[in-house]
Amino acid sequence: MAEITPMMRQYFNIKEQNSDCILFFRLGDFYEMFGDDALTASRELDLTLTTRDRRNENPDERIPMCGVPHHSAEAYIGRLIAKGYRVAICEQVEDPAEAKGLVDRDVVRVITPGTRIESSMLDEGVSNYLCAVCAGEDGSAACFAELSTGELGVSFYPAGDDSRLLNDLGAFMPAEAVVSSEATDAFTAFLTDKLDCLVQRSDALFEYDHTVDTICAWFSVDSPETLGLTGSKQAVRAVGALLEYLKNTQKTDLSHINRLLVNSGGAFMELDIQTLRSMELVAAQRTGEKKGSLLWVLDKTKTPMGRRLLRSWVLRPLVSTVEIKRRLDAVEDLYANTVARSELLRALRDVGDIERIIGRIVYGTANSRDLKALEYSVKALPSVLALLEPMQSSLISKLKTTDPLTDVERVIRETIEDDPPFSVREGGMIRTGVSEEVDRLRALLRDSTGAMAEIEAAERARTGKKLKVGYNKVFGYYIEIPRSSSETVPDNYIRKQTLANCERFITQELKELETTLLGAKDRLAALEYEVFTDLRDRLAANVGRVQATSRAAATIDALCSLAETAVKNNFAKPEIDVSGVLDIRDGRHPVVEVMQTDALFVPNDAYMDTDSARTLIITGPNMAGKSTYMRQTALIVLLAQMGSFVPARSAQIGLVDRVFTRIGASDDLSAGKSTFMVEMTEVAEILHGATAKSLILLDEIGRGTSTYDGMAIARAVLEHCTDKKRLGAKTLFSTHYHELTAIENEIAGVKNFSISAKKRGGDIIFLRKIVPGGADDSYGIEVAGLAGVPASVIRRAKAELARLEQSGSAAPIAAQPTQDDGGQLSLTDVGGGEIARTLQKTQLDTLTPIEALNLLFELKKKAEDQ
């Protein structure tokens, strides 16, 4: 095998230290990949694969190689990260001009799914969380960080309370998780199967004494207790491990992560991942897209940080009546001030992503255009704050005092050109007057044209020849003389290049001008970069102020969005109390109402309390709207507790601590669970996690097994939920087991309601109205007919239903022959009803005899083909 070169030895040494990453190795203007990394990158990125040492006669000893230009590497890296890979960026860490031999290189950053900060790799409306999870005898803890914004928070969960941790993971939906070896299999299974985020196990990161040192050094404190981390060893381990992970991967200043939020529990409503998905809070269940979700209806935000904040409000409703009312009062202020709200929405369009821009500034990756974006964003803030003046609610009064950052706007405006270049290394971004040396060098370069003209005129006069002075990047400055007059030139001319029609020469005077001007150009670019980095450092020193203003701007934007939605969609302000009463008048489903464009949405009332109406049994046909009614009731509760107006004429919402749903289920074949097993698992989690203050939605419990088994389970679950001694939670219970409606007369607190529907001939009309009492029929056969089940099957089902109702027995009977209709063949039974549809569309009165015969021939052929 050929001897390895020093450069490749350097590559393999660095690769060995980052074996779990694809190594982007900087060579000139390219990032190169070698060996297995090259094979992976070429496959995942559709790159052309070549080899190093192509002259090696043995193909097996050639090293696979591929690369991407450094200026466009971000897009390629983003694609690799999206596929779950980690990428280590290896740069030259010394000036090649000063290097003796091989240029020193080292990894300057490791990019992972949870540590992305580049705007091209992130959804501007979704936070990108990294989390650390650990567990011990005293409980468990999870720490979440958003590197692009500097957000950092931790929660501790007592032993035996693993469900709360899983619920928080479902709400934050981290892109990447680091897990201690003590963490239970339930945590890792949830992270990999439910959230599909990268999971890494690490013991060294979670070593307690080391995590204490990391936290104290990071926040410059004497002990973690100073930050509120008292009585929770696991919380200390989680925070320290996450910070150490960031330090090891990012290898740069992360001072924008300067505040730790400690969640002691009780501030937000917990929603399990099943409820998040079935209620379609941030994504439609069928498509996974934002459209069709509650967030889609509410989101009228104009700024990226406002969009992210509103999303967090949807996922984490409040449980404090004081905080809910503060938010509702602010929304009411904006709702009532129509002109101010409209002007605010217009003004907020000029506010960019301040939160992530300041993160890139501190991180050191912001360019001059990022700074200008910050300037323009801050410039819009005074007008935004001025528009809040007429409003008096406590939350908005606090927002009025927001720092407008006028000094930040001024220093950027006075330093950076209005339209700076993308690159910060090539100059052209610093304004005149900022630096005397920058101005002097620019003047020198500007005068170079005049200097060249003077030399050209002097040489023409001296030689009497038609010459010109020119410049290109390869040969620098030169004197060009036509070939016809180049035989005799002055002695001080030095031939530089021969072309077809001319000769090019240099002189000592031109060489000196070239040295001066090229030196000035390089010096100017370097000096401008120094001025830029000095400004960036000064802005980074104000990170706390900028972050506080960013949070305020996001809050204003999110509140405006809720107010605008309330106006556009006719929402009303709910009353929030702790009475336990849920009284909704003319409630509507906020999403279905918007999506349903072909008919008006039928509103319905809902009344529940902790005494006479704890449980509502809802019966009625499929497709009539039972699930819609249940979901709209829960969504109105969630909207109210996130501080939003609600789709109803009026609403009194007694605070609930949790919302649980069991709506729809499917097989989990990978886990070896049938549909019924999944259903029962979800029911078990609800019954163990709910309290008397919870709201429970149960849809068709027990239908995955035999009739009597299912009915028995459904009744037992319903009794458990209703019984105050066992649970006593407010429960919406939809079912097709009409026998369960008898419970209304047996157990206090149970009320029967049904979705009204009317039969008209063989059809069924859904009235979509909730009325007291149980349904008089399931209308299942009629619904099957609406779904397109063949008419012969519908007739057979009706006959069997009549027999069952008459006999009261479910015993099977012998199959009936197809001639039970007297041998009459129905046109709807042939060709999937195609013959009947063809005849219905045909204008028989206009057919000619030959056309009628042809039609009859075609229909007969279709019938014979069946």
Side-chain angles (χ1 to χ4, degrees):
M1 181 175 178
E3 183 179 352
I4 192 170
T5 65
M7 191 275 292
M8 289 306 299
R9 186 177 297 110
Q10 183 187 56
Y11 170 85
F12 286 121
N13 288 339
I14 296 173
K15 173 62 183 175
E16 186 178 1
Q17 299 168 27
N18 298 271
S19 57
D20 59 342
C21 303
I22 294 178
L23 184 63
F24 272 46
F25 191 76
R26 182 69 175 269
L27 288 177
D29 290 335
F30 280 78
Y31 286 116
E32 300 289 359
M33 289 148 277
F34 301 96
D36 291 341
D37 283 358
L39 296 174
T40 300
S42 66
R43 181 183 68 249
E44 300 289 0
L45 302 176
D46 297 322
L47 298 176
T48 301
L49 188 67
T50 181
T51 59
R52 191 167 179 83
D53 301 327
R54 279 173 288 182
R55 290 175 294 181
N56 193 325
E57 294 181 359
N58 186 354
D60 294 335
E61 294 182 1
R62 296 175 185 169
I63 302 173
M65 171 182 173
C66 67
V68 298
H70 79 93
H71 62 271
S72 60
E74 188 175 302
Y76 292 102
I77 294 171
R79 288 167 61 188
L80 288 172
I81 298 301
K83 293 174 181 287
Y85 294 99
R86 297 158 57 89
V87 176
I89 307 298
C90 181
E91 295 281 5
Q92 297 172 172
V93 294
E94 68 173 332
D95 189 342
E98 300 177 0
K100 296 180 179 179
L102 187 64
V103 177
D104 232 3
R105 292 179 176 85
D106 200 0
V107 170
V108 298
R109 181 188 174 198
V110 176
I111 306 176
T112 67
T115 60
R116 294 169 290 177
I117 63 169
E118 292 77 9
S119 57
S120 64
M121 299 185 194
L122 298 173
D123 182 340
E124 66 173 19
V126 180
S127 296
N128 187 62
Y129 287 107
L130 166 72
C131 81
V133 180
C134 64
E137 293 182 357
D138 58 336
S140 57
C143 182
F144 298 89
E146 222 286 8
L147 183 59
S148 68
T149 65
E151 182 183 350
L152 181 70
V154 64
S155 295
F156 172 71
Y157 315 93
D161 197 9
D162 291 354
S163 62
R164 275 188 57 210
L165 192 157
L166 298 179
N167 293 338
D168 276 354
L169 289 172
F172 282 97
M173 290 186 259
E176 181 181 8
V178 184
V179 184
S180 72
S181 59
E182 308 99 330
T184 66
D185 291 338
F187 295 159
T188 53
F190 185 86
L191 288 166
T192 52
D193 299 338
K194 296 289 187 182
L195 298 182
D196 190 25
C197 62
L198 183 65
V199 179
Q200 301 180 56
R201 288 190 176 273
S202 172
D203 288 327
L205 286 176
F206 291 90
E207 198 277 317
Y208 181 74
D209 291 337
H210 183 65
T211 57
V212 170
D213 294 339
T214 299
I215 293 171
C216 292
W218 192 285
F219 292 102
S220 300
V221 295
D222 294 330
S223 70
E225 284 77 11
T226 307
L227 302 170
L229 297 173
T230 56
S232 174
K233 182 178 180 180
Q234 304 310 321
V236 172
R237 294 177 65 210
V239 174
L242 188 142
L243 294 177
E244 183 68 16
Y245 182 79
L246 287 175
K247 185 172 69 174
N248 292 342
T249 56
Q250 303 311 294
K251 306 177 189 295
T252 189
D253 181 16
L254 298 174
S255 58
H256 66 302
I257 302 179
N258 51 29
R259 189 176 69 140
L260 175 65
L261 299 177
V262 180
N263 179 20
S264 56
F268 304 103
M269 182 192 295
E270 290 181 47
L271 298 172
D272 60 69
I273 195 166
Q274 176 60 31
T275 300
L276 293 176
R277 291 177 176 174
S278 65
M279 297 300 294
E280 300 182 303
L281 296 185
V282 296
Q285 196 167 14
R286 183 175 60 86
T287 64
E289 301 294 328
K290 180 180 175 181
K291 184 176 181 180
S293 69
L294 178 64
L295 179 61
W296 173 69
V297 172
L298 298 178
D299 191 358
K300 305 293 188 294
T301 56
K302 304 302 178 185
T303 70
M305 60 247 187
R307 206 161 297 130
R308 292 192 295 271
L309 181 62
L310 181 63
R311 189 175 193 272
S312 72
W313 287 1
V314 171
L315 290 171
R316 307 185 79 194
L318 301 167
V319 292
S320 164
T321 55
V322 174
E323 292 302 316
I324 294 171
K325 288 178 178 178
R326 285 183 74 232
R327 201 177 281 175
L328 282 171
D329 290 344
V331 173
E332 185 178 33
D333 244 352
L334 292 160
Y335 180 96
N337 286 272
T338 303
V339 175
R341 186 185 68 254
S342 299
E343 292 297 322
L344 272 169
L345 290 169
R346 187 175 295 108
L348 284 165
R349 292 175 184 170
D350 297 325
V351 179
D353 201 343
I354 300 175
E355 194 173 35
R356 281 181 170 167
I357 292 172
I358 192 62
R360 291 196 293 273
I361 288 173
V362 173
Y363 198 88
T365 58
N367 58 31
S368 54
R369 293 186 181 179
D370 288 324
L371 269 56
K372 294 302 288 187
L374 179 59
E375 175 201 328
Y376 297 144
S377 299
V378 172
K379 186 178 181 179
L381 290 178
S383 60
V384 170
L385 298 176
L387 289 167
L388 300 177
E389 282 305 317
M391 304 170 210
Q392 302 300 321
S393 61
S394 61
L395 179 52
I396 290 187
S397 295
K398 182 180 179 181
L399 292 171
K400 290 179 190 177
T401 64
T402 299
D403 183 352
L405 302 173
T406 52
D407 57 325
V408 170
E409 184 269 335
R410 184 184 65 255
V411 70
I412 300 175
R413 170 169 44 82
E414 293 177 350
T415 305
I416 305 296
E417 290 281 2
D418 288 337
D419 188 20
F422 181 81
S423 173
V424 296
R425 296 282 188 175
E426 297 177 3
M429 58 186 169
I430 304 301
R431 284 187 182 277
T432 300
V434 174
S435 166
E436 291 183 3
E437 182 63 9
V438 167
D439 295 345
R440 186 187 71 79
L441 292 171
R442 279 189 182 154
L444 180 62
L445 291 170
R446 203 164 42 241
D447 293 341
S448 65
T449 304
M452 288 171 61
E454 289 178 7
I455 293 174
E456 184 177 287
E459 290 302 311
R460 282 183 175 180
R462 185 164 74 93
T463 63
K465 296 181 181 294
K466 291 183 179 181
L467 56 79
K468 68 176 182 179
V469 176
Y471 171 82
N472 65 35
K473 292 183 178 180
V474 178
F475 295 105
Y477 289 94
Y478 55 81
I479 297 173
E480 186 175 283
I481 301 175
R483 288 286 295 274
S484 58
S485 58
S486 63
E487 292 83 2
T488 58
V489 295
D491 294 338
N492 64 329
Y493 277 34
I494 304 170
R495 183 173 276 100
K496 188 72 174 178
Q497 186 183 17
T498 300
L499 300 177
N501 299 318
C502 62
E503 295 276 356
R504 288 177 177 174
F505 303 87
I506 61 170
T507 65
Q508 186 61 34
E509 185 180 9
L510 270 181
K511 200 65 181 173
E512 290 173 0
L513 176 64
E514 179 181 318
T515 302
T516 301
L517 294 180
L518 293 182
K521 187 176 181 180
D522 292 342
R523 172 61 182 150
L524 176 60
L527 190 57
E528 286 203 48
Y529 182 70
E530 288 179 16
V531 175
F532 170 77
T533 54
D534 177 67
L535 173 61
R536 192 168 62 187
D537 291 343
R538 281 188 286 157
L539 294 173
N542 289 277
V543 59
R545 291 176 57 209
V546 177
Q547 286 177 327
T549 296
S550 172
R551 288 191 292 269
T555 302
I556 295 169
D557 192 18
L559 291 171
C560 280
S561 179
L562 294 180
E564 185 71 5
T565 300
V567 172
K568 299 291 186 185
N569 295 17
N570 193 27
F571 286 10
K573 182 182 180 182
E575 297 179 18
I576 303 294
D577 55 40
V578 293
S579 64
V581 171
L582 182 63
D583 187 3
I584 300 170
R585 303 299 172 90
D586 289 339
R588 313 184 305 277
H589 193 295
V591 182
V592 174
E593 182 182 35
V594 174
M595 298 285 285
Q596 182 177 289
T597 57
D598 57 343
L600 292 175
F601 188 91
V602 178
N604 277 295
D605 297 343
Y607 180 85
M608 303 181 77
D609 57 32
T610 57
D611 187 23
S612 62
R614 291 188 301 280
T615 297
L616 307 185
I617 299 177
I618 305 167
T619 51
N622 285 317
M623 296 173 59
K626 299 193 301 296
S627 294
T628 299
Y629 175 74
M630 293 169 65
R631 281 187 171 100
Q632 82 182 34
T633 303
L635 285 174
I636 287 172
V637 171
L638 293 173
L639 280 167
Q641 292 197 209
M642 68 171 280
S644 170
F645 282 25
V646 300
R649 178 164 52 85
S650 66
Q652 177 189 354
I653 308 296
L655 207 67
V656 305
D657 60 353
R658 297 281 299 275
V659 173
F660 293 92
T661 64
R662 214 311 307 169
I663 299 176
S666 59
D667 291 333
D668 188 356
L669 299 179
S670 62
K673 295 182 179 179
S674 66
T675 301
F676 183 66
M677 185 61 180
V678 171
E679 178 185 313
M680 290 298 101
T681 300
E682 292 175 2
V683 169
E685 291 172 352
I686 291 172
L687 299 184
H688 285 300
T691 71
K693 295 181 179 180
S694 300
L695 174 64
I696 302 174
L697 276 61
L698 297 173
D699 188 18
E700 304 292 356
I701 295 297
R703 63 182 174 183
T705 184
S706 70
T707 301
Y708 295 128
D709 272 0
M711 193 182 305
I713 291 171
R715 179 173 180 121
V717 169
L718 195 152
E719 290 176 353
H720 182 93
C721 292
T722 304
D723 191 344
K724 284 188 174 182
K725 294 180 181 179
R726 287 182 275 184
L727 185 52
K730 289 190 284 293
T731 305
L732 291 164
F733 192 101
S734 75
T735 184
H736 274 88
Y737 295 135
H738 292 166
E739 294 83 353
L740 296 179
T741 58
I743 298 178
E744 181 182 41
N745 301 320
E746 302 171 9
I747 301 176
V750 176
K751 299 290 183 182
N752 286 328
F753 286 88
S754 61
I755 302 286
S756 56
K758 297 293 182 183
K759 286 185 178 180
R760 188 176 63 183
D763 295 332
I764 181 173
I765 300 174
F766 300 124
L767 302 181
R768 314 288 186 190
K769 200 68 180 176
I770 289 284
V771 295
D776 57 357
D777 198 342
S778 287
Y779 305 101
I781 296 175
E782 287 75 13
V783 172
L786 291 176
V789 173
S792 59
V793 176
I794 298 298
R795 288 194 300 276
R796 180 72 185 93
K798 287 179 178 179
E800 176 64 4
L801 177 63
R803 187 195 68 78
L804 291 172
E805 290 176 339
Q806 183 176 5
S807 66
S809 170
I813 60 173
Q816 298 297 315
T818 57
Q819 288 82 3
D820 66 332
D821 289 338
Q824 176 65 45
L825 181 66
S826 171
L827 290 176
T828 59
D829 294 337
V830 183
E834 186 177 351
I835 292 178
R837 288 193 294 272
T838 302
L839 287 173
Q840 287 173 349
K841 294 177 182 179
T842 303
Q843 299 294 328
L844 297 177
D845 295 340
T846 63
L847 286 181
T848 65
I850 189 63
E851 288 174 338
L853 286 173
N854 288 335
L855 176 62
L856 182 61
F857 177 78
E858 291 176 6
L859 296 179
K860 182 174 183 296
K861 188 173 186 303
K862 286 181 181 178
E864 291 173 348
D865 289 341
Q866 297 301 310

